[in-house]
Amino acid sequence: MVIHPLHTDIPRPERFTYPFAYEPHPLCQLAAKEVQQYIATHEEIKADADTGKMFGVLVVEATPDSSRARGESYDFLAAYSGLLAGRNDWDYFVPPVYDAQQPDGYFKTKEREISRLSKDSQDTREMSQELQLWLFHQYQLLNARGEVKDLVDIWQSYYNKEKLRRKFPLPPGGTGDCCAPKLLQYAYQRGLKPVCMAEFWWGPSTKTELRQHLNYYPACRGKCKPILTWMLQGLDVDPDPELLGFRRMDIPVVYEDEWLLVVNKPSGMLSTRGRIEQYSVESVMQERYPGSIIAHRLDMGTSGLLIVAKTPEVYRPLQEQFIKHQVRKKYIALLEAADDSGFSRTVRKSPCKSAAIKGTISLPLRPDPMNRPRQVVDMEHGKRAVTDYEFISPNIVALYPQTGRTHQLRIHCAHPDGLGRPIVGDELYGTKGERLMLHATEIWFTHPVTQESMHLVSPPPFLK
């Protein structure tokens, strides 16, 4: 049975879920618990899910011939991304948008034919490309208005500017096989009315997927943003929170002279203007000191010390110090407690219980083009990223970055080959919380005008 009754009197949300940034609605949390119980009690499914898998739920208005006849007002659908235990025909979950796994179907037949050819031949490459394009055309996706477009049309309509179309000419492989498109397609095909949706991760964090067991995550942007932009048309959807603007915050000054200042950036504030949001430390400083420039950046969730040059003439020698790695920075992070999910997690241990744990993490990083702003460890193509660390207590660690890659400290803490423990409040690589418990607590640099050795300190606000 694919349509499952949901036994609850929880009121429905006002609008449907914006899938790229959301708090899971209680209806989705209830449905997700039922799916999790199902996974846990079906050995073949659990064995595959235990290696790491994304699952999703879609709550819909109850149909007259299902729950409503028993006095319930909701049903729910469940889905998984890709294949589950090598199959896509599990009775409990919605089917794929298009089933390319049929052994005697056109796709598999043609795939076997191509595999018999020389792998390096021009004919093989052309046939593979033609087969992939054929497959994309089979994904006939509905939206809430009942309109239909295939995957290629959706993709090219979304990337309709010539420059973008050259960069993203066709969808990547696997597009259309994530949870959200499967769930919405099944609901639309059967006239079901979507109420809310959520996706959760089952299993351990892997070396490529830094996600935590049973945590909820937004839909991926690389594959799903063009599709869901189409499929959600006709639904009343929650607004994109990025378009709502950020609340105004105080920016305490730790040090100031006539050439520069060092401020204490609050968590939840951008260092520099974003693609949509203009409000940032940069915009505030430039209002106060026209011509000022932020000398470096901190992630929006990270708080702490940030240097601001009041003029371009002061900025340039500061930048040179950063380029030559002459600026030293110390961060304090509060880490999640030891994993109690039942899945093992690599944790670096001290050889002596009474000694502080020290070491160096070297894991090269690159952006994940399918799921920005996430970064991934890539030993072959990633850029060098090195962090020294020292445990202050079992859950508090001092971090000294030798390089300044995006999300470097967050990944080096969360990755199984790093500390194996995400920073508390890290919604990308750990568990969402009140805030990201990461603070730039000390900074050392040479004053670009006076040549004085500068050392500024800001205690972590979350350890007071």
Side-chain angles (χ1 to χ4, degrees), residues 3-5 17 57 62 88 118 125 145 151 185 189 219 284 287 314 335 353 403 424 443:
I3 302 176
H4 313 285
T17 312
V57 292
N88 59 14
S118 170
R125 289 191 291 271
R145 293 196 287 257
L151 197 50
Q185 182 79 352
Q189 287 173 335
V284 172
E287 276 188 20
V314 173
L335 302 183
K353 290 184 178 179
T403 54
V424 171
I443 193 165

Side-chain angles (χ1 to χ4, degrees), residues 76-257:
F76 75 89
L77 310 173
Y80 49 85
S81 290
L83 299 175
L84 184 59
R87 293 170 48 187
N88 59 14
D89 59 352
W90 296 97
D91 291 340
Y92 186 85
F93 299 96
V94 300
V97 174
Y98 178 78
D99 187 0
Q101 299 300 312
Q102 293 298 319
D104 299 325
Y106 177 82
F107 183 80
K108 284 296 181 184
T109 301
K110 201 70 176 177
E111 195 176 50
R112 289 192 295 270
E113 179 185 334
I114 294 171
S115 68
R116 289 192 289 266
L117 301 175
S118 170
K119 291 183 179 179
D120 297 326
S121 72
Q122 181 67 25
D123 287 345
T124 302
R125 289 191 291 271
E126 289 179 359
M127 290 175 68
S128 296
Q129 291 169 0
E130 289 174 2
L131 182 60
Q132 186 64 69
L133 184 60
W134 175 89
L135 181 60
F136 288 150
H137 283 302
Q138 308 316 302
Y139 283 73
Q140 300 285 322
L141 293 155
L142 289 156
N143 64 19
R145 293 196 287 257
E147 300 165 334
V148 181
K149 274 189 179 182
D150 71 38
L151 197 50
V152 176
D153 287 341
I154 290 172
W155 202 261
Q156 294 183 347
S157 296
Y158 185 81
Y159 295 110
N160 54 9
K161 295 182 179 178
E162 186 60 33
K163 183 178 179 180
L164 289 173
R165 188 171 290 191
R166 286 197 302 270
K167 188 175 181 181
F168 305 104
L170 288 172
T175 301
D177 293 324
C178 296
C179 296
K182 289 182 179 181
L183 291 165
L184 290 170
Q185 182 79 352
Y186 188 90
Y188 293 154
Q189 287 173 335
R190 285 151 186 82
L192 304 175
K193 296 182 179 180
V195 174
C196 53
M197 182 168 62
E199 297 181 50
F200 66 89
W201 179 261
W202 178 286
S205 183
T206 68
K207 293 183 179 182
T208 55
E209 292 282 358
L210 294 182
R211 302 182 187 273
Q212 308 306 313
H213 183 52
L214 304 186
N215 277 10
Y216 293 92
Y217 292 95
C220 67
R221 290 178 178 264
K223 293 180 180 180
C224 287
K225 188 70 182 288
I227 297 176
L228 297 184
T229 298
W230 163 255
M231 298 189 79
L232 293 176
Q233 291 181 25
L235 289 181
D236 184 14
V237 181
D238 282 334
D240 179 352
E242 290 185 358
L243 302 177
L244 298 178
F246 293 4
R247 67 184 180 89
R248 275 35 185 170
M249 301 180 185
D250 291 331
I251 307 175
V253 175
V254 178
Y255 171 86
E256 183 174 7
D257 59 30

Side-chain angles (χ1 to χ4, degrees), residues 35-56 79-81 83-87 90 93 200-206 209 211-214 341-343:
V35 177
Q36 291 157 11
Q37 290 170 0
Y38 182 87
I39 296 168
T41 55
H42 289 73
E43 287 303 320
E44 187 178 1
I45 291 174
K46 184 177 182 298
D48 187 59
D50 281 357
T51 62
K53 174 70 69 175
M54 191 71 76
F55 291 84
Y80 49 85
S81 290
L83 299 175
L84 184 59
R87 293 170 48 187
W90 296 97
F93 299 96
F200 66 89
W201 179 261
W202 178 286
S205 183
T206 68
E209 292 282 358
R211 302 182 187 273
Q212 308 306 313
H213 183 52
L214 304 186
S341 68
F343 297 103

Side-chain angles (χ1 to χ4, degrees), residues 259-274:
W259 301 287
L260 60 83
L261 61 157
V262 179
V263 300
N264 202 359
K265 185 187 89 68
S267 175
M269 187 175 190
L270 292 170
S271 295
T272 60
R273 292 173 171 88

Side-chain angles (χ1 to χ4, degrees), residues 51-77:
T51 62
K53 174 70 69 175
M54 191 71 76
F55 291 84
V57 292
L58 174 66
V59 177
V60 297
E61 290 184 6
T63 58
D65 58 349
S66 62
S67 301
R68 190 171 295 147
R70 298 185 296 276
E72 292 136 17
S73 55
Y74 307 108
D75 290 322
F76 75 89
L77 310 173

